[in-house]
Every structure is written in structure tokens, then in C-alpha cells.
Amino acid sequence: MKKLRMFLANLGHRRPLYPMVTPPMGIMCLAAYLRTKFDLDIKLANQRETNCTNEELARQAVDFEADIVGFGSLTPSGHGFAPLTGMVRAGLPNALILLGGPHVTSFGARALADTTANAAVAEEGELAFEQVIRAYFDGGDLGHIPALIWRNVDGEVLTNPGTMPPIENLDSLPFPAYELIDLPKYWRLQSMPPLPRRRYVSLVSSRGCPYHCSWCHRIFGKKFRMHSPERIVDEIEYFQRIYGVDDFEFLDDIFNLDHSRLMAFCDLLHRRNRRIKIAFPNGVRTDILTQEDVNALADAGTYFASFALESGSPRIQKLMGKNLNIPRFVQGVEMAVKRGIFANGFAMLGFPTETEEEMRQTIDVASNSMLHTASFFTATPYPNTTLYDHVSKIHPQQLAKLTYKDTDFCQISVNLSDVPDEVLFACQRRANRRFFLNPKRIYRILRDYPQPHLLPLYIPNYLARVTKGLLGPGKT
Ligand code: B12
Ligand code: SF4
């Protein structure tokens, strides 16, 4: 096969109130994998970092004269697929245009329908992308690729039967292609809050999660697959050497699922004398954290982690399929904080059938815990989740109202609970005020905030939370 030119982009925009961006791991992983299989000249773009318009992004793909154009997106930005593919198709009539990422995993064939892309890949992307390139450029047939969503010569959108097998040995994958992005630009922008701007590298050390939280994505399936401790430490050493950074964040869904891997990883860091800082902005599963885990993580350099409570109500925990042991959650946070880890919490209000009393339980557990900061999100059902299926049975009229376009953190578009909208919004305002306007908590934030000289950058975020709703009927 001749050398091919490939343009991959991650869609989305930063907005003043939601300025966060992380290195685009999805397209960096795909680029790194595909170039081990084909002779490729690759260009990556992250629209969420540059904030460029769709027109500019499409122009970049066309000016690059790409043979392959791949767009990955989360659902709030998935509406970009149609205009972007239209513009790229006009400029590159023969290019292979492929869609993927969380939006395709959620929306399936609907994500491809109103676009001019050739095909769309749900879930893990590497193997499917490879097969699509082979089929498209080597005279194969897209109709034979398991689970592929594609458009036939008559323009019909079809979904192939079967499933693409997950990559069993994650260590067989190369390091993400960081050299194809301008990493220092990310150091000047806000990453996952409340972490400050800093010189860091994001890593993903596992895929899949065996738990069954009803709102959660199915991108990497239910089987937990992981990099070995050796591979993670090799990757850390490599990026330390290339970028001179000592701050690493793991975007894993559940880094701490395997206790022995966690211990071996921390031990290996120690044996190789790696002094680094570690953050888990996407959270650890708190009720399985042991004191031994916390000690090992803290000794290895962990300074920040998120802890997902979601609900303080045992009934809602069961209903949402998370089944978190709430006393152990409180204890896990306390263990971490006592070992010097800055603790951020995630909670959700407005779950189907949730009562005001159950929301109060969540506010109580979060506010009485040792969390430093917390977000009180609204339960939002994404298609292809059990929450969505449940809501489509009990609240079809609410689902019909739901709009995902450009929604970001904390923006409510639907109330699934048993209480009227104004009660839900009042609970959210109360949650933020009770949690954040606690003098002891304010003192602990000031005392423990990672990189105190950057604390002023966190103040707007803090003020936004405690003033929500004061200037009008704002939804959260
Ligand atoms: C980092 C992160 C972010 C970053 C941005 C990430 C980005 N790509 O731009 C920030 C912090 C900004 C963010 C914001 C939000 N996020 Co977020 N985030 C994540 C997180 C924790 C990690 C993403 C990641 O790097 N994964 C690792 C890489 C390797 O996986 P990947 O990107 O999915 O890529 C693989 C496949 O999807 C596919 N693929 C990806 N791109 C492409 C392109 C092509 C062409 C192909 C073929 C395949 C393909 O192949 C890749 C390799 O296998 C995920 C959870 C998770 N575990 O993935 C949630 C997640 C992606 N976020 C989610 C959500 C809901 C949000 C928010 C709405 C906030 C919220 N919780 O309410 C906002 C929305 C922002 C917006 N307006 O778009 C959902 C997405 C659901 C959906 N249908 O879109 C996820 C899945 C978490 C969940 N609870 O279910 N997020
Ligand atoms: S929310 Fe976390 S624990 Fe629950 S299924 Fe998703 S990744 Fe697993």
C-alpha cells in the first residue's frame, strides 16, 4: 500500500465557564497504533484545544490533502460531524472519512446518518480502524468488518453483525503519540478541575470496568484490561525523559481495581527511584481502597484524586447499579486526606424516582466528609446505557426534551427525579453552598490546594459554585 496521509481530529470547544481540555488520548492512541501497521504521514488536531471553527478544522484536513480523515467526538460536540464531513467531502471527494469516539458509542448508526462519512466505529477504535483502512485501500469490503457502521453504494446506513474483539494485551499497544501534539500548550490551559495549570502528561493505564453503574459508557466493555506495572513505569520514564515533567495524571476509570497491580506499580516506581507527582482526576473506586493502597499511592507521590460518591442514599446506590458502600467511601476519603491527598468528590442529583430526602442524604454525606472540593452534577442519560433504557420506559416525555448539544459540566437539560424542577435546582444550589461555604473546608482548601501559588486560578470556579442561582433562576 502507498504512503497515506491521515488527518485525525478530536472535536469540541472550550467555553469561558468550562475551559478544560486534556491531551486527546483517543486520537493519540489511534495514531500510535495505526502507524505500526501502515506507512502513514499523520496530522493530529484537537479542536477543544485550538477552539477553531468547524470551517477552519475542515480546511486543515483539506489543505493536508488527507487520504484518511478521522473525527472523534463526545456527544455534546457530536453535532459537528455533519458540517465537518460535508466540508471535507467537498474538498476531498475520494478520502476515507471515519467517525468514532464516545458519541458513536452512544448513538451508533444515528451518528453516521446525517453525515457524508463512509463509516463509524463504536467502542474501542484501534482494530476496527485498521480493518477499515485495509478494506478501503486494498479493495476489501466494509461489509465484512464486525460491528462496523457504514454506508453502502446506495447511501444506506448499515450495521454489520458481530463484535470487534477487545485488545487483550494492552502492553502490545505503543505509547500514545504525544509528539504529534503541542503538549506545552496544554500546560497553559485548565485540565480536569480543580487541578491547576501545570506541566503534566496524561496517561491511561487500563480499559474497561466490571461495575454496572447505569449511566456509564460502554466504550471499553466490562472486562478490566490493564497495562503491567513495568509498562506504566517505562511510559513514565520515557515521557519524563522527553518532556522533563514529573507530574502524571491517570485518566483511568478505575485505576485501583487490581490491588496487586497497584502495589507492584508503586513498588516499582520506588525501586527505580522515580520521584513523581501523581493525580487521578477521573477518580478511584473509593470503597475498595485499603489503607495499604492509600499508603502506597501517597508514598509514590499521589497528591490529588477524585472520589465518586454519586449518591448518599443506599436506595439510589442500588437503583443506579453503583452499589457503593457509603461508610467505606467516607473512610476511604478520610484515609487519603490524612495521607496528604487533595480530595475532590463527584455527586449526582436528580436520579429517576429520587426524592428530596434522598438528595439531602447525598448533600449530607458529601458535606460531612473530608472532601476538599466537589461537583454536584445532574443525572443525564446517554443512549446505549441502562439509565437511558430505564428512563425511556418511565419518562419518555423527559427524554424527548433532552438536548446534548454543547452541554458541559453541570448544565441541566432534564429532570428525571420525583421532585419538581425548582426543588431539584434548589437542592443543587443548597449542595454547593452547604459544601463550599463551610469555614473549615475553606481553610482546608487554602491549606492543601496543590500548588498554592495557583490558588487564584481556582477562585472563579469556587465563586461560580457558591453564587449559582443568586443572579436569577439559573438551572444549577
Ligand atoms: C478526559 C475526559 C474528558 C475531557 C475531554 C476529552 C476529550 N476527548 O476531548 C474533558 C475533561 C474536557 C471532558 C469533558 C466532558 N466529558 Co469526559 N471524559 C474524559 C474521560 C475521563 C477520559 C477520555 C479518554 O481520554 N479516554 C481514553 C481514550 C483512549 O479513549 P477514547 O477517547 O474514548 O478513544 C477510544 C475510542 O473512543 C475510539 N475513538 C476515539 N476517537 C476516535 C476517532 C475515530 C475516527 C475512531 C474510528 C475511533 C475513535 O478509539 C479510541 C481508542 O480505542 C472519559 C471516560 C473514559 N474512560 O474514556 C470521559 C467521557 C468521555 N466524558 C464524558 C462526558 C459526559 C463529559 C462531559 C459532558 C462532562 C460530564 N461529566 O457531564 C464533558 C463534555 C465536554 C464536551 N463539551 O464535549 C462521557 C462521554 C459520553 C458521551 N457519549 O459523549 C465519558 C465517556 C465518561 C462517562 N461518564 O461516560 N471529558
Ligand atoms: S462509573 Fe466508574 S465504577 Fe461505575 S461502571 Fe463506570 S467506570 Fe465502572
Side-chain angles (χ1 to χ4, degrees), residues 199-224:
R199 292 163 48 84
Y200 72 103
V201 163
S202 304
L203 301 174
V204 179
S205 83
S206 62
R207 291 182 177 184
C209 171
Y211 287 96
H212 291 276
C213 305
S214 63
W215 66 87
C216 190
H217 67 91
R218 298 177 186 174
I219 301 168
F220 298 111
K222 289 286 127 204
K223 186 171 174 207
F224 183 68

Side-chain angles (χ1 to χ4, degrees), residues 8 10-11 13 15 20-27 29-30 46 48 70-77 98-103 105-106 121 123-126 129 192 204 207 215-217 219-220 251 253 282 377 382 407-410:
L8 297 180
N10 178 52
L11 308 193
H13 286 102
R15 276 162 254 278
M20 46 294 250
V21 60
T22 51
M25 298 304 291
I27 54 171
C29 288
L30 292 170
N46 187 2
R48 203 171 167 95
F71 291 121
S73 183
L74 275 65
T75 291
S77 313
L98 192 58
L99 309 177
H103 182 53
T105 304
S106 291
V121 170
E123 305 179 357
E124 192 168 70
E126 284 85 350
F129 207 148
M192 286 175 86
V204 179
R207 291 182 177 184
W215 66 87
C216 190
H217 67 91
I219 301 168
F220 298 111
L251 297 179
D253 280 326
N282 194 31
F377 295 115
Y382 283 84
T407 50
D408 252 300
F409 297 88
C410 289

Side-chain angles (χ1 to χ4, degrees), residues 5 21 36 81 100 133 138 256 262 342 406:
R5 296 170 71 75
V21 60
T36 66
F81 280 161
I133 295 178
D138 259 354
N256 63 321
L262 184 154
F342 192 93
D406 290 335

Side-chain angles (χ1 to χ4, degrees), residues 3-9 26-45 60-61 64-70 129 133 174-181:
K3 189 177 187 102
L4 296 168
R5 296 170 71 75
M6 180 161 87
F7 180 90
L8 297 180
I27 54 171
M28 291 195 307
C29 288
L30 292 170
Y33 175 79
L34 292 170
R35 69 187 175 188
T36 66
K37 304 290 170 187
F38 306 100
D39 188 11
L40 294 172
D41 189 359
I42 307 178
K43 188 174 166 65
L44 297 192
Q60 285 174 34
F64 187 61
E65 297 177 14
D67 303 294
I68 305 164
V69 178
F129 207 148
I133 295 178
F175 297 162
Y178 264 101
E179 74 289 357
L180 296 178
I181 66 164

Side-chain angles (χ1 to χ4, degrees), residues 371-387:
L371 289 170
H372 290 90
T373 52
S375 293
F376 297 91
F377 295 115
T378 314
T380 306
Y382 283 84
N384 199 15
T385 61
T386 32
L387 176 61

